[in-house]
Amino acid sequence: MVRMKVEIDQGVIECDIQYGNRKKLSIHMDAIGLITVKAPKNLSEEIIINAIKQNGQWIQGRLDEISKLQETPQKRAYEDHGKFLYLGKEYSLHELIKTRDLEEEELKKNLKKFYITSCTKIIGERIKIYQQQLGVKPKAVEIVESDSQWGSCNSSKKITFNYRLAMAPMDVIDYVIVHELCHLIHMNHDRSFWRRVGSIVPDYKKKQEYLARFGHYMTL
């Protein structure tokens, strides 16, 4: 697997090049905008770059669509019956935290604490299951705030999870956990990585689609 950046009129396209026993080149994009170019062995870099450029308009169009899906929605209503997601379902604010006699800033602060505490508990319980199945163990696990990632794994084997995952259904949370744990085995998004993810979460593409479609609702 090779990472490549290609300049087009609309900007720069980043993609993974996957070489294999195939006759034709093909370009694929998943629900979150990850681009994979599957190419025949020994195909020149020049041909690959030209193929990406020729499809540049289509690629950028799809990336723009995904970006729009991830835009921040209208401001939340911090009142008793304001709606917020928890484990994939909508709840009124007063069902998640105490709201009586509290101003908006205090409500927002307390709701964030609720999600961080819930996410820490959920991740702590669920990650043990998949660590055992995959035969791996991260050196550290941290719950963080992020506007761009649901999870990450670095070369030091430290895994982080976005506290907003507590707003997602449990099976989607499980997918993100498995995704990051699999990076302890395969740091790149190569074929072996996705095969390992799929061995635990066969319908992982549906989980990606959920995050792409509804991720922008999972906000404070």
Side-chain angles (χ1 to χ4, degrees), residues 149-177:
Q149 292 181 309
W150 296 110
S152 67
C153 177
N154 64 23
S155 57
S156 299
K157 296 187 176 182
K158 175 184 176 181
I159 294 179
T160 64
F161 295 99
N162 192 330
Y163 78 87
R164 294 188 293 120
L165 274 174
M167 303 179 194
M170 190 65 77
D171 58 345
V172 175
I173 297 174
D174 285 347
Y175 157 66
V176 177
I177 292 173

Side-chain angles (χ1 to χ4, degrees), residues 76 78 82-93 95-97 107-123 143-144 161-168 173 217-220:
R76 298 285 185 181
Y78 283 87
K83 299 298 183 181
F84 293 86
L85 287 170
Y86 178 58
L87 296 181
K89 297 181 180 180
E90 273 196 337
Y91 290 87
S92 295
L93 183 60
E95 295 179 287
L96 301 177
I97 62 172
L107 289 171
K108 188 172 183 179
K109 180 180 178 181
N110 290 349
L111 183 60
K112 184 175 180 180
K113 286 182 179 179
F114 166 79
Y115 282 126
I116 291 173
T117 300
S118 297
C119 190
T120 300
K121 183 176 184 295
I122 293 166
I123 295 294
I143 307 302
V144 301
F161 295 99
N162 192 330
Y163 78 87
R164 294 188 293 120
L165 274 174
M167 303 179 194
I173 297 174
Y217 290 111
M218 294 159 59
T219 59
L220 294 183

Side-chain angles (χ1 to χ4, degrees), residues 57-188:
Q57 188 172 355
W58 169 78
I59 293 171
Q60 193 58 55
R62 285 286 296 117
L63 290 174
D64 289 343
E65 289 177 8
I66 292 171
S67 179
K68 287 179 181 178
L69 288 173
Q70 297 171 341
E71 289 177 358
T72 304
Q74 294 181 350
K75 186 178 179 181
R76 298 285 185 181
Y78 283 87
E79 55 190 23
D80 281 1
H81 298 286
K83 299 298 183 181
F84 293 86
L85 287 170
Y86 178 58
L87 296 181
K89 297 181 180 180
E90 273 196 337
Y91 290 87
S92 295
L93 183 60
H94 70 88
E95 295 179 287
L96 301 177
I97 62 172
K98 294 181 180 179
T99 59
R100 187 174 180 180
D101 299 327
L102 295 179
E103 299 294 330
E104 181 175 319
E105 284 304 312
E106 192 69 20
L107 289 171
K108 188 172 183 179
K109 180 180 178 181
N110 290 349
L111 183 60
K112 184 175 180 180
K113 286 182 179 179
F114 166 79
Y115 282 126
I116 291 173
T117 300
S118 297
C119 190
T120 300
K121 183 176 184 295
I122 293 166
I123 295 294
E125 293 173 351
R126 305 298 291 177
I127 199 169
K128 293 176 183 178
I129 299 171
Y130 297 109
Q131 282 179 187
Q132 186 173 3
Q133 289 187 34
L134 290 164
V136 298
K137 187 175 182 179
K139 287 188 176 180
V141 177
E142 186 178 356
I143 307 302
V144 301
E145 181 174 7
S146 175
D147 293 326
S148 59
Q149 292 181 309
W150 296 110
S152 67
C153 177
N154 64 23
S155 57
S156 299
K157 296 187 176 182
K158 175 184 176 181
I159 294 179
T160 64
F161 295 99
N162 192 330
Y163 78 87
R164 294 188 293 120
L165 274 174
M167 303 179 194
M170 190 65 77
D171 58 345
V172 175
I173 297 174
D174 285 347
Y175 157 66
V176 177
I177 292 173
V178 170
H179 183 117
E180 300 310 329
L181 286 176
C182 284
H183 276 312
L184 297 175
I185 307 170
H186 306 283
M187 284 302 295
N188 295 317

